[in-house]
Amino acid sequence: MASLRCATRLASLTRVSQSVFARLPGFAGGQAHTAVRASPLLVRACAAAAELAKQPVLDNKMFCYQCEQTSKGTGCTTVGVCGKTPEMAFLQDLLTYSLKGLGCWADFARQQGVEVPRKVYSLLNAATFATLTNVNFHDARFKEYISTCQSLREGLEKSLRDKGIDASPPAPVNLPWFDLLAHPAAWKLNQSYLAAASMDQLTQLGKMTSLEHRRHVVDPTLLGLHEMITYGLRGLAAYSHHAEVLGHRDPEVDEFMARCYAFLCSEDALDLGKTLGMVDELGAVGVKGMQLLDKGHTTKFGHPEPTQVRITPKKGKAILISGHDLQDTHDLLAQTEGTGINVWTHGELLPAHGYPALKKRFPHLVGNYGGAWYRQQKDFAEFPGAVLMTTNCIVEPRQSYADRIFTTGEVGWAGVRHIEGEMGRTKDYSALISKAQELPGFEYEPPESEAKFVTTGFARNAVLGVAGEVVKAVQEGHLKHIFLIGGCDGSEPDRKYFGRVADATPQDTMVLTLGCGKFRFYDHDFGMLPNTPLPRLVDMGQCNDAYSAVVVASKLAEVFGTDINGLPLSLDLSWLEQKAVIILLSLLHLNVKNIRIGPRAPAFLTPEALKVIVDKWNLQIVDTKNPESDVQKMMAGQ
């Protein structure tokens, strides 16, 4: 409460000082000119008042609650569990502020009939994706994003003026979350300042836009919903960016990104009902984003096929590729042909083995090594070759492998070698390949009779290809229930719940899995569904393959003459980062009810906001202490 009073006082001082300054000759846009002809005493007094007013309210070194692993389930306040420093948190806040401004200008330009350059939407997607958990931790890269953002914003303003349009995007002054700097549509940093600005200067600006400050001046329920929209945008941007790398874009998705950022800068965002409406619209566009990426994958690499994947070592030089990017995977495989180097996937890239254009052309795509993303420090340290991170999920590299890990795309960590590339152009992986050739690779492999395999590739075409068998199994009583158990994984002990749920499912049920949650049980032997040719465990891929699950559920509902809620289907989802947020919002938009998420509720949703969702969709938080009880409730349709 004291902090809120302080924030109110500071906001009041800001308005007073701005009002006084506005009366001074030579003052414009919130900056006093050196040619001001006013009493030096008055100028100094006003400047002091402005300086006082512009101090953000910071009770902690930082504040972040965008992911599930956030400290104590409430928010990281000293350093992020993901490894994010306070400085990085403030840089990301400043970038988000800049993206909001760019979104305002892009949306306004489109409304005025001015063409918005493709590079504007590309930057909105790439830079928004860079703020997703465990993607980019490199401060210099964020300075570059901010600079490009400001440059593109200036370009849009020039295009409007060249068309004879003198108007600018709305910049209401009554929004409490923009109390320390000018409204994002009116705020800008010139390129000469940015070129010379130190990271400390940018960090200080970031504090004025930070969540740590805003949470003191905005109603927590409204703030949480705003943050849920922001985090959903980060998940949507990931899908859009991945699709664009494959040459696929959707103008509606691009334009929505800008419009949604502009909404967060509008007076409509003061209205709880309109904010909830935007949450639903974001879910609708989330489905389009997932469909767009699915189209990119299947058009270029074919529809996944059920494929056995080796998970035990095989002799030879080795490269481990992690992340999500199938284009990077393809190009690396092409450049390692004939080199004697085996390529292994890790974590999110396990589904790559199911795509015909990869598995049939490249026999040196030999297997999957390691488990979920959070285990990478152990997995990478033990892997005897070079490592490439293509998209999100990087964790601070240990010294034991710091000299043999590379990043590319939007991934970044200070001190880690980055392989540059431009959209639509093939990257040069020669440095990575050379490093792999220097390293020993696997010098031992077990006898083939002892090799272990898992099966992936049950995407929508594969599953729908046996839909008749599924329907028959249900009708004949051999299949009583289908559990979709998946989502993100993490290191918390409570996440063992999801493996225990899978193991507790009865023999006359099927388990579909999607995302890193599978690594809790993907190597368990679930056998076959009795009296059918169907496996009990069906791996549909990773979070980038979520559209397959939506299509399968919709088609089965159509066959049974019901909706998704009428199917013998339950969703039990672990969540962590912002792709999980956009997937959840998309499912809620599709009116899917009785979803369980866990291991705990999002920290950014207050009890009041969560109640709205629970009342409408019966969203439930998993019972981590009683997984067997949850299984019984799901079997009963609860």
Side-chain angles (χ1 to χ4, degrees):
M1 184 62 72
S3 296
L4 185 59
R5 286 196 300 269
C6 179
T8 303
R9 176 173 173 268
L10 293 178
S12 175
L13 280 169
T14 299
R15 290 191 292 271
V16 170
S17 61
Q18 287 176 343
S19 176
V20 173
F21 267 130
R23 297 186 180 93
L24 294 178
F27 179 83
Q31 292 183 344
H33 291 223
T34 55
V36 169
R37 295 181 180 179
S39 161
L41 181 60
L42 176 60
V43 172
R44 286 197 298 272
C46 290
E51 186 65 27
L52 173 63
K54 291 193 173 187
Q55 293 301 313
V57 183
L58 304 175
D59 289 342
N60 303 293
K61 292 183 178 179
M62 61 176 282
F63 190 83
C64 181
Y65 56 14
Q66 74 174 13
C67 75
E68 189 277 338
Q69 64 180 349
T70 193
S71 179
K72 300 179 182 178
T74 56
C76 294
T77 57
T78 55
V79 65
V81 173
C82 65
K84 183 191 301 183
T85 63
E87 293 76 17
M88 178 53 61
F90 293 135
L91 284 175
Q92 290 190 2
D93 286 329
L94 185 62
L95 173 58
T96 300
Y97 205 83
S98 297
L99 289 168
K100 288 176 179 176
L102 181 61
C104 288
W105 280 90
D107 186 57
F108 181 75
R110 182 185 58 79
Q111 291 178 35
Q112 301 301 312
V114 174
E115 182 179 359
V116 177
R118 174 175 175 167
K119 59 186 178 181
V120 170
Y121 294 123
S122 295
L123 189 278
L124 280 172
N125 285 322
T128 299
F129 173 43
T131 62
L132 187 145
T133 300
N134 290 97
V135 174
N136 200 317
F137 296 82
H138 199 310
D139 52 7
R141 297 273 298 281
F142 277 92
K143 181 177 181 179
E144 182 180 337
Y145 286 129
I146 293 167
S147 178
T148 304
C149 198
Q150 293 289 329
S151 176
L152 291 173
R153 173 234 187 273
E154 291 171 8
L156 286 171
E157 184 174 7
K158 183 177 185 303
S159 294
L160 284 160
R161 304 299 176 249
D162 289 346
K163 292 283 187 179
I165 301 170
D166 293 328
S168 297
V173 298
N174 61 329
L175 304 181
W177 47 90
F178 301 140
D179 61 330
L180 299 185
L181 294 178
H183 186 282
W187 179 78
K188 57 184 175 180
L189 293 173
N190 64 52
Q191 292 300 312
S192 59
Y193 170 82
L194 279 167
S198 66
M199 290 301 169
D200 181 64
Q201 287 173 308
L202 294 179
T203 297
Q204 295 308 313
L205 278 174
K207 289 178 180 179
M208 301 171 78
T209 70
S210 66
L211 176 61
E212 165 62 359
H213 169 72
R214 284 183 288 119
R215 70 191 188 97
H216 292 289
V217 296
V218 183
D219 171 78
T221 296
L222 193 61
L223 177 66
L225 291 171
H226 288 179
E227 291 302 292
M228 184 160 69
I229 290 172
T230 300
Y231 306 153
L233 280 178
R234 291 174 182 177
L236 176 61
Y239 284 113
S240 299
H241 180 67
H242 295 330
E244 187 178 2
V245 169
L246 296 167
H248 291 265
R249 297 175 64 243
D250 183 335
E252 289 187 22
V253 176
D254 284 344
E255 291 168 5
F256 176 81
M257 285 288 296
R259 182 161 59 86
C260 196
Y261 270 131
F263 171 84
L264 292 172
C265 299
S266 73
E267 291 181 315
D268 284 346
L270 288 165
D271 185 282
L272 185 62
K274 291 178 180 178
T275 299
L276 287 168
M278 182 55 70
V279 169
D280 180 66
E281 190 173 353
L282 176 54
V285 179
V287 177
K288 291 183 179 180
M290 290 188 282
Q291 182 181 23
L292 181 67
L293 181 56
D294 178 86
K295 181 180 179 181
H297 283 159
T298 56
T299 300
K300 196 152 194 175
F301 304 111
H303 285 274
E305 303 166 348
T307 303
Q308 281 201 315
V309 183
R310 185 186 188 97
I311 59 173
T312 47
K314 187 176 183 64
K315 284 184 180 180
K317 302 284 186 178
I319 290 176
L320 186 63
I321 180 169
S322 190
H324 301 80
D325 202 294
L326 291 187
Q327 186 62 55
D328 284 331
T329 305
H330 172 274
D331 295 344
L332 176 62
L333 287 166
Q335 292 179 39
T336 49
E337 279 187 300
T339 63
I341 297 174
N342 290 326
V343 175
W344 298 77
T345 58
H346 175 268
E348 296 282 5
L349 270 172
L350 172 62
H353 295 270
Y355 285 91
L358 299 179
K359 73 173 188 173
K360 292 179 180 178
R361 176 182 166 182
F362 302 112
H364 62 298
L365 177 61
V366 296
N368 189 77
Y369 181 88
W373 66 273
Y374 73 92
R375 289 179 45 187
Q376 69 184 251
Q377 288 181 326
K378 179 178 184 294
D379 291 342
F380 292 1
E382 294 174 353
F383 186 76
V387 178
L388 175 65
M389 290 296 304
T390 66
T391 55
N392 52 310
C393 298
I394 191 170
V395 177
E396 182 176 8
R398 290 180 173 173
Q399 285 302 311
S400 58
Y401 59 88
D403 65 336
R404 53 186 175 88
I405 183 173
F406 296 74
T407 61
T408 193
E410 306 314 314
V411 190
W413 197 288
V416 172
R417 281 172 290 182
H418 188 74
I419 297 174
E420 299 289 349
E422 295 181 22
M423 194 81 73
R425 294 189 178 184
T426 303
K427 299 171 185 174
D428 179 3
Y429 292 107
S430 57
L432 172 72
I433 293 168
S434 294
K435 175 56 68 173
Q437 289 170 330
E438 294 173 9
L439 296 164
F442 286 106
E443 298 176 309
Y444 165 81
E445 64 180 77
E448 201 61 24
S449 60
E450 298 177 13
K452 295 181 180 180
F453 296 84
V454 295
T455 303
T456 191
F458 288 98
R460 57 190 173 92
N461 269 26
V463 175
L464 292 177
V466 296
E469 294 289 349
V470 174
V471 173
K472 181 181 177 183
V474 172
Q475 292 173 338
E476 295 181 352
H478 302 310
L479 176 56
K480 297 293 179 58
H481 205 79
I482 301 173
F483 297 87
L484 176 57
I485 306 172
C488 305
D489 199 8
S491 59
E492 305 99 313
D494 282 350
R495 289 183 183 272
K496 292 178 182 178
Y497 158 92
F498 294 98
R500 291 174 61 190
V501 165
D503 290 337
T505 56
Q507 284 297 111
D508 56 0
T509 65
M510 289 181 68
V511 176
L512 307 184
T513 187
L514 188 77
C516 278
K518 72 164 61 67
F519 290 108
R520 292 281 171 178
F521 52 84
Y522 80 133
D523 55 350
H524 297 191
D525 184 6
F526 288 85
M528 304 295 289
L529 188 68
N531 303 307
T532 77
L534 302 171
R536 286 198 59 230
L537 179 64
V538 176
D539 176 15
M540 301 191 74
Q542 291 297 118
C543 55
N544 275 16
D545 306 291
Y547 183 67
S548 279
V550 172
V551 172
V552 167
S554 298
K555 290 295 183 183
L556 287 176
E558 186 179 315
V559 170
F560 282 105
T562 183
D563 60 12
I564 293 177
N565 296 310
L567 292 172
L569 170 69
S570 296
L571 280 66
D572 199 36
L573 307 176
S574 56
W575 80 280
L576 192 137
E577 42 90 332
Q578 294 76 64
K579 280 186 185 175
V581 174
I582 191 61
I583 290 172
L584 177 62
L585 295 184
S586 297
L587 291 171
L588 296 182
H589 169 75
L590 294 171
N591 200 35
V592 181
K593 297 182 178 179
N594 300 323
I595 300 172
R596 282 173 166 77
I597 65 167
R600 54 191 174 190
F604 50 82
L605 289 181
T606 62
E608 293 78 12
L610 189 60
K611 184 177 185 301
V612 171
I613 297 174
V614 169
D615 288 347
K616 185 171 183 179
W617 291 286
N618 197 32
L619 183 73
Q620 302 176 53
I621 306 304
V622 302
D623 185 352
T624 57
K625 298 187 184 303
N626 299 289
E628 293 80 5
S629 174
D630 269 1
V631 170
Q632 294 304 313
K633 290 177 182 177
M634 286 186 275
M635 290 281 291
Q638 300 174 10

